[in-house]
């Protein structure tokens, strides 16, 4: 979350501005497409309320809703920034929820009844949270952050008691979290990203993304807010890399401050987008002087950086020295906010936090390509724009709404993401075809208030071991289970639920692999039947076979034989003598052989 | 220092009951503990419900209110300057910049007024904090004579003067933010912190943009 609250007048003025620009350049300006939606969508017209808002749901079952605990909300108003909930992280049966005032740990052994284990008071905002083993890393960016987790802020403008940076807690005794390290940063830590190096298992790396004003050098030596031309050592235009020795986390320290925006030709450290619009009718894009967030995908050795004015790709094979290998910009983007890869790393979704997360940007008058996801295809370090996705239903003037944090749902054979849209609720999106993404499930509540824009809604919604967890800024945490629909079959959901992780941090993206199990094979079959890309006779045959597999006791030889028949189909399809979906058939044959083993 | 009343436990019960669409986790008297860790390496403590009563965190100070009170006339002058643009500017880029500036400055004024209203503080001009007199001109603001000069300029002369004046005006806002953060106890409240930080970032971006326009002749 970034900018201050938008107001009702903003809406009108922005529309007026867009119109004025449009009138000035009607002949030459390409206009963003108009927003259209289903008028019968149940998300339209939901009654407002903090704890009693009406809600609409499709393709999901809402299994739990837990309010913020004592000490972490103001009963007088939902709109008190000191107590906003922020991001989520997961380990084993524990859910970690960040808050501007600290963080919570829930037991989610029974996901339908999350049980609060401990509340940790340690203010600093935004409380972006990650977990690694017994360690919990939390971002602090505000000037009120104290080294000792004190609640009273730091009165002196220059003080050794202030902490803006990351905190590292040891939760080996979950009832008694201890702060083991605090690493200062010149621009604080708005977000951070855990990065691992397969060749260096003794250390964990943390990238600090700071967006606060630069701290005075009297408080933190070396900090400089100067322009790069005046001071080549400016604290802007960089990230900080922290090394955390896992056997001695108290020795965590900044080991590099890479200049990932530099221009390789001129050597300028401010080598990317300088800020401003891209011509008449375009969005005004922030300057690239900091990353808002970075998502590491160690399995492919890359990270996607959403860096205010650009989307970038970083080679992280040496985590201490990330190297920018590609960058994109988009005239529809205001603020590059977050990145998510698809599971094979061939697509990258960048989100645009137009309005900073506190403004209403999903209104009927807002362009569907602004404040949206931009979906890029990736070949090596080359990114090509393929399409956009935005919450496909309008929200009101009193609902802050824009693209925000999400994660993949591990349905084999498809690219699916569940994503938070603040007060726009959550939306589950299929982007298998990146040019034609579509919604397959949603949940939305009415506004916090019909009269005032109070900041709220989902900060992040992530899939973890079979459930969707939503971090609600002022309403706590919500848990959902997927339900079958025309867009998603029971087998596809069952296959997704088979994928389990020991821990999950959305910005340290893991690669999914699926066990050889009947629901996985059936998920592929359902997809081929849905798209009509399998002959009916063969579909019926495989359906009957999978029925028997599910009941148990199909001999391995028979499964191998079926796999060989599929191989023959695949060869025929690739030779052009048969129609069908060779890729999915091939994967299905693999699963059958796996079950046979 | 204002202290917000402690959330009564009954509020938690109401919240839980309000979320009727899912299961809830009942809280018990000896429920989960609230822990406040210490500094790195130091011991923490378990916080009691009584401790929590005073634990609302830093609230706003007179210096925060003073900062916001100063920001309103400052922004209002930027709007006055931007309003001169349509009839005088030569460059399309200056026109667009002024239009967008108008939106963001209006937005920020509305935000300030809402912040003051919801905290029961006087609106700008109604009342000034004792010991913090309002200057006639905030940092970077144009004098009446300078405003007259801008009003009289036309075409490319106007563009150049507008950009130079607005850069100075924006630098004044950054000075005000720096002064805020240099004042003991100020800029600690979460929302003021956020607002002031973003004013600084946004004004810097616009200054860079305007410097770019000056170098290219105000342009196109």
């Amino acid at each position: 979350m970034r900018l201050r609250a938008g107001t009702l007048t903003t809406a009108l003025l922005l529309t007026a501005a867009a119109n004025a620009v449009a009138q000035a350049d009607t002949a030459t300006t390409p206009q963003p497409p108009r927003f259209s939606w289903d008028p019968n969508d149940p998300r339209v017209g939901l009654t407002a309320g903090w704890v009693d808002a009406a809600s609409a749901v499709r393709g999901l079952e809402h299994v739990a809703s837990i309010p913020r605990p004592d000490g972490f909300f103001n009963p007088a108003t939902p709109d008190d920034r000191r107590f906003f909930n922020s991001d989520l992280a997961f380990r084993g049966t524990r859910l970690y929820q960040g808050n501007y005032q600290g963080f919570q740990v829930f037991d989610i052994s029974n996901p339908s009844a999350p049980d609060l284990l401990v509340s940790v008071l340690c203010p600093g905002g935004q409380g972006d949270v990650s977990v690694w083993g017994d360690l919990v890393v939390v971002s602090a960016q505000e000037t009120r952050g104290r080294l000792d987790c004190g609640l009273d802020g730091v009165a002196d403008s220059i003080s050794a008691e202030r902490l803006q940076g990351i905190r590292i807690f040891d939760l080996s005794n979950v009832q008694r979290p201890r702060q083991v390290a605090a690493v200062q940063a010149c621009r604080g830590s708005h977000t951070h990203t855990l990065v691992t190096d397969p060749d260096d298992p003794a250390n964990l790396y943390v990238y600090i993304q700071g967006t606060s004003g630069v701290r005075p050098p009297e408080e933190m030596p070396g900090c400089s807010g100067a322009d790069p031309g005046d001071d080549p050592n400016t604290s802007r235009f960089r990230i900080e890399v922290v090394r955390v020795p896992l056997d001695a986390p108290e020795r965590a320290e900044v080991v590099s401050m890479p200049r990932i925006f530099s221009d390789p030709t001129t050597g300028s450290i401010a080598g990317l987008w300088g800020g401003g619009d891209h011509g008449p009718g375009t969005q005004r894009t922030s300057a690239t002087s900091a990353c808002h967030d970075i998502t590491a995908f160690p399995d492919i050795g890359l990270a996607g950086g959403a860096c205010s004015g650009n989307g970038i790709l970083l080679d992280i094979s040496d985590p201490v020295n990330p190297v920018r290998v590609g960058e994109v910009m988009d005239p529809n983007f205001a603020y590059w906010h977050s990145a998510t890869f698809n599971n094979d790393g061939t697509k990258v979704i960048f989100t645009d936090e137009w309005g900073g997360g506190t403004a209403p940007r999903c209104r009927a008058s807002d362009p569907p390509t602004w404040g949206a996801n931009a979906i890029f295809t990736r070949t090596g370090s080359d990114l090509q724009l393929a399409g956009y996705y935005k919450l496909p239903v309008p929200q009101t003037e009193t609902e802050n709404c824009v693209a925000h944090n999400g994660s993949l749902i591990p349905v084999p054979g498809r690219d699916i993401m569940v994503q938070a849209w603040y007060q726009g609720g959550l939306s589950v999106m299929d982007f298998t075809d990146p040019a034609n993404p579509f919604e397959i499930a949603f949940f939305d509540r009415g506004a916090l208030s019909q009269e005032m824009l109070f900041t709220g809604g989902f900060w992040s919604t992530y899939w973890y071991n079979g459930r969707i967890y939503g971090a609600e800024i002022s309403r706590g945490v919500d848990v959902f289970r997927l339900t079958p629909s025309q867009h998603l079959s029971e087998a596809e959901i069952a296959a997704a639920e088979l994928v389990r992780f020991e821990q999950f941090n959305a910005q340290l993206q893991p690669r999914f692999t699926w066990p050889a199990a009947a629901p996985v094979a059936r998920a592929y079959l359902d997809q081929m039947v849905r798209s009509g890309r399998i002959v009916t006779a063969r579909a019926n045959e495989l359906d009957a076979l999978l029925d028997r597999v599910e009941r148990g006791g199909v001999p391995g030889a028979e499964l191998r034989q079926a796999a060989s028949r599929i191989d023959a189909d695949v060869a025929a399809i690739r030779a052009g003598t048969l129609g069908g979906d060779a890729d999915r058939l091939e994967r299905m044959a693999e699963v059958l052989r796996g079950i046979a083993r | 220092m204002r202290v917000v009343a402690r959330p009564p436990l009954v509020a938690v019960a109401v919240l839980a009951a309000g979320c009727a669409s899912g299961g809830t986790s009942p809280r018990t008297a000896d429920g989960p503990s609230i822990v406040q860790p210490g500094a790195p390496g130091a011991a923490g403590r378990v916080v009691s419900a009584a401790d929590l009563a005073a634990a609302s965190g830093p609230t706003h100070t007179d210096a925060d209110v003073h900062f916001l009170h100063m920001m309103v006339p400052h922004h209002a002058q930027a709007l006055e300057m931007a309003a001169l643009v349509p009839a005088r500017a030569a460059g399309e880029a200056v026109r667009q910049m002024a239009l967008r500036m108008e939106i963001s400055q209006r937005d920020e004024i509305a935000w300030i007024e809402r912040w003051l209203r919801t905290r029961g503080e006087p609106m700008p001009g109604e009342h000034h904090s004792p010991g913090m007199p309002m200057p006639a001109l905030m940092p970077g603001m144009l004098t009446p004579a300078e405003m007259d000069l801008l009003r009289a300029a036309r075409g490319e002369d106007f563009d150049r003067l507008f950009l130079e004046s607005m850069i100075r005006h924006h630098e004044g806002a950054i000075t005000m933010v720096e002064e805020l953060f240099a004042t003991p106890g100020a800029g600690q409240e979460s929302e003021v912190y956020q607002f002031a930080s973003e004013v600084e970032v946004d004004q810097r971006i616009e200054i860079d943009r305007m410097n770019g326009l000056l170098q290219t002749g105000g342009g196109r």
Side-chain angles (χ1 to χ4, degrees):
Chain A
M1 177 178 307
R2 210 181 68 95
L3 291 171
R4 58 210 153 267
T7 62
L8 301 192
T9 47
T10 324
L12 303 170
L13 280 161
L14 268 175
T15 311
N19 288 344
V21 170
Q23 281 159 14
D25 299 271
T26 321
T28 53
T29 307
Q31 287 301 299
R34 301 283 302 179
F35 184 8
S36 64
W37 62 91
D38 170 11
N40 298 316
D41 193 303
R43 287 170 285 188
V44 176
L46 290 171
T47 312
W50 180 6
V51 296
D52 55 358
S55 63
V57 66
R58 184 172 290 169
L60 295 166
E61 182 192 352
H62 189 192
V63 298
S65 182
I66 308 296
R68 286 179 292 175
D70 286 356
F72 292 84
F73 72 102
N74 174 352
T77 173
D79 196 23
D80 188 331
R81 184 178 276 271
R82 287 172 299 175
F83 305 111
F84 283 173
N85 273 335
S86 56
D87 215 1
L88 301 173
F90 307 84
R91 178 169 175 84
T93 54
R94 287 184 192 158
L95 165 67
Y96 303 82
Q97 179 165 40
N99 180 288
Y100 278 56
Q101 190 80 344
F103 66 96
Q104 324 290 336
V105 186
F106 292 91
D107 178 285
I108 50 168
S109 312
N110 176 0
S112 299
D115 191 24
L116 185 64
L117 291 173
V118 66
S119 292
V120 181
L121 273 174
C122 193
Q126 316 183 110
D128 193 25
V129 63
S130 300
V131 59
W132 188 265
D134 287 331
L135 301 179
V136 171
V137 182
V138 180
S139 284
Q141 66 170 1
E142 299 179 4
T143 46
R144 67 167 167 151
R146 294 183 57 90
L147 270 174
D148 63 4
C149 293
L151 304 179
D152 298 328
V154 184
D156 295 337
S157 51
I158 305 291
S159 173
E161 294 172 351
R162 181 174 285 114
L163 180 278
Q164 290 177 275
I166 56 165
R167 307 176 186 279
I168 302 176
F169 297 95
D170 180 343
L171 267 71
S172 45
N173 177 354
V174 71
Q175 296 294 337
R176 295 293 178 270
R178 288 186 308 119
Q179 188 172 202
V180 291
V183 181
Q184 302 275 8
C186 288
R187 300 187 71 184
S189 174
H190 186 66
T191 67
H192 68 262
T193 302
L194 303 187
V195 182
T196 55
D197 180 353
D199 300 328
D200 184 11
N203 293 300
L204 174 70
Y205 294 89
V206 185
Y207 288 3
I208 294 180
Q209 287 88 235
T211 56
S212 298
V214 177
R215 297 166 70 182
E218 296 81 5
E219 178 168 291
M220 188 175 166
C223 292
S224 159
D227 285 332
D230 300 331
D231 181 0
N233 294 317
T234 179
S235 308
R236 298 155 64 208
F237 303 94
R238 73 183 194 199
I239 59 171
E240 285 97 1
V241 179
V242 175
R243 178 189 283 138
V244 185
L246 290 171
D247 61 355
E250 67 280 2
R251 297 201 337 251
E253 59 176 350
V254 172
V255 290
S256 67
M257 298 181 286
R259 298 288 187 188
I260 55 176
F261 312 131
S262 59
D263 183 322
T265 313
T266 65
S268 162
I269 59 173
L272 293 180
W273 182 245
D277 60 46
H278 307 258
T282 60
Q283 182 58 277
R284 182 173 57 169
T285 311
S286 292
T288 305
S289 68
C291 283
H292 175 273
D293 212 342
I294 291 177
T295 295
F297 197 175
D299 203 63
I300 56 172
L302 291 177
C307 303
S308 53
N310 292 90
I312 66 173
L313 277 182
L314 295 170
D315 179 334
I316 52 164
S317 43
D318 173 7
V320 179
N321 299 296
V323 177
R324 191 178 88 244
V325 292
E327 67 272 341
V328 282
M329 59 141 65
D330 188 308
N332 292 306
F333 265 46
Y335 188 76
W336 293 72
H337 174 276
S338 53
T340 306
F341 292 89
N342 70 336
N343 193 49
D344 62 11
T346 56
K347 297 169 194 156
V348 189
I349 292 176
F350 284 105
T351 64
D352 169 25
E353 199 186 37
W354 174 33
T358 52
R361 291 290 178 266
C362 304
R363 297 156 302 181
S365 56
D366 293 326
T369 50
W370 288 24
N373 301 336
I375 307 169
F376 291 82
T377 54
R378 181 183 75 86
T379 312
S381 54
D382 180 60
L383 296 172
Q384 292 294 329
L385 178 66
Y388 294 94
Y389 178 85
K390 189 168 181 183
L391 186 74
V393 66
Q395 300 290 306
T396 64
E397 295 282 0
T398 60
E399 289 171 285
N400 56 309
C401 177
V402 75
H404 213 235
N405 296 352
S407 76
L408 298 184
I409 295 178
V411 173
R414 296 172 70 177
D415 293 321
I416 296 178
M417 177 163 128
V418 57
Q419 186 179 11
W421 291 82
Y422 288 109
Q423 288 202 64
L426 75 83
S427 178
V428 179
M429 162 193 76
D430 179 305
F431 63 106
T432 313
D433 173 359
N436 295 291
F438 62 95
E439 184 174 61
I440 61 182
F442 61 73
F443 174 80
D444 185 23
R445 286 188 175 98
L448 282 162
S449 159
Q450 209 170 322
E451 290 80 36
M452 294 273 278
L453 194 162
F454 292 144
T455 298
F458 285 118
W459 182 284
S460 46
T461 55
Y462 298 138
W463 173 273
Y464 179 65
N465 291 352
R467 296 293 183 279
I468 290 165
Y469 294 84
E472 232 283 359
I473 290 172
S474 58
R475 294 177 178 121
V477 55
D478 290 285
V479 190
F480 303 88
R481 185 173 190 171
L482 285 168
T483 56
S485 67
Q486 56 168 324
H487 301 302
L488 196 65
S489 73
E490 207 175 319
E492 289 176 300
I493 296 169
E497 290 180 356
L498 288 173
V499 176
R500 317 298 282 192
F501 288 110
E502 265 178 54
Q503 64 186 14
F504 179 75
N505 297 291
Q507 284 74 40
L508 175 57
Q509 212 176 311
R511 194 199 280 268
F512 303 132
T513 54
W514 289 267
V520 179
R522 192 175 281 286
Y524 292 129
L525 178 60
D526 288 347
Q527 289 160 16
M528 290 186 283
V529 170
R530 189 184 292 123
S531 65
R533 294 182 68 205
I534 186 168
V535 289
T536 310
R538 183 48 55 86
N540 290 342
E541 198 180 294
L542 289 168
D543 182 50
L545 176 70
L546 289 172
D547 274 347
R548 290 172 50 223
V549 171
E550 281 152 12
R551 288 198 300 270
V554 178
E558 188 183 341
L559 287 167
R560 278 188 288 273
Q561 208 173 24
S564 299
R565 274 200 306 280
I566 295 174
D567 290 344
D569 283 357
V570 169
I573 292 166
R574 294 213 164 120
T577 59
L578 181 70
D581 187 336
D583 291 347
R584 285 194 175 78
L585 281 171
E586 199 168 37
R587 287 188 225 177
M588 206 169 159
E590 262 174 56
V591 176
L592 293 180
R593 288 197 174 90
I595 298 172
R597 280 194 292 272
Chain B
M1 178 89 73
R2 296 155 193 79
V3 176
V4 176
R6 159 149 203 285
L9 281 175
V10 64
V12 177
V14 169
L15 276 165
C19 301
S21 62
T24 56
S25 175
R27 297 173 60 83
T28 55
D30 56 348
S33 46
I34 302 172
V35 174
Q36 182 180 25
R45 65 182 188 120
V46 175
V47 179
S48 68
D51 293 334
L52 261 188
S56 59
T59 50
H60 65 276
T61 64
D62 288 344
D64 293 329
V65 174
H66 182 69
F67 165 74
L68 295 175
H69 278 173
M70 297 218 305
M71 203 50 101
V72 170
H74 185 270
H75 277 29
Q77 191 185 60
L79 287 175
E80 214 181 311
M81 292 162 72
L84 301 177
V85 168
R88 293 171 179 78
E92 180 54 33
V94 169
R95 287 172 190 280
Q96 282 195 37
M97 161 141 275
L99 193 59
R100 293 184 194 271
M101 212 173 269
E102 195 178 319
I103 294 165
S104 64
Q105 306 269 314
R106 261 191 222 291
D107 219 13
E108 290 180 6
I109 290 174
W111 183 91
I112 291 170
E113 289 174 350
R114 189 184 126 199
W115 186 95
L116 292 167
R117 198 167 49 243
T118 54
R119 283 157 185 79
E121 293 291 350
M123 289 296 138
E126 281 180 14
H127 157 88
H128 304 309
S129 313
M132 289 188 174
M134 289 285 276
L137 288 179
M138 316 311 154
M141 280 177 72
L142 276 61
T143 63
E146 288 169 329
M147 273 303 285
D148 287 344
L149 273 178
L150 185 63
R151 215 171 269 122
R154 291 291 184 279
E156 288 175 8
D157 288 345
F158 174 85
D159 289 357
R160 194 181 55 255
L161 192 57
F162 175 81
L163 291 169
E164 286 169 356
S165 310
M166 194 60 94
I167 288 171
R168 197 184 95 198
H169 192 272
H170 274 35
E171 284 169 348
I174 293 174
T175 303
M176 286 158 68
V177 171
E178 287 170 350
E179 284 171 0
L180 173 79
F181 283 125
T183 307
Q188 297 272 301
E189 198 243 21
S190 267
E191 295 208 10
V192 173
Y193 159 79
Q194 189 80 6
F195 175 80
S197 303
E198 288 164 3
V199 164
E200 181 177 356
V201 170
D202 292 351
Q203 308 269 306
R204 267 191 213 287
I205 290 170
E206 288 191 347
I207 289 171
D208 287 349
R209 176 83 176 132
M210 288 189 284
N211 274 323
L213 288 179
L214 269 181
Q215 280 158 22
T216 56
R220 301 139 293 142

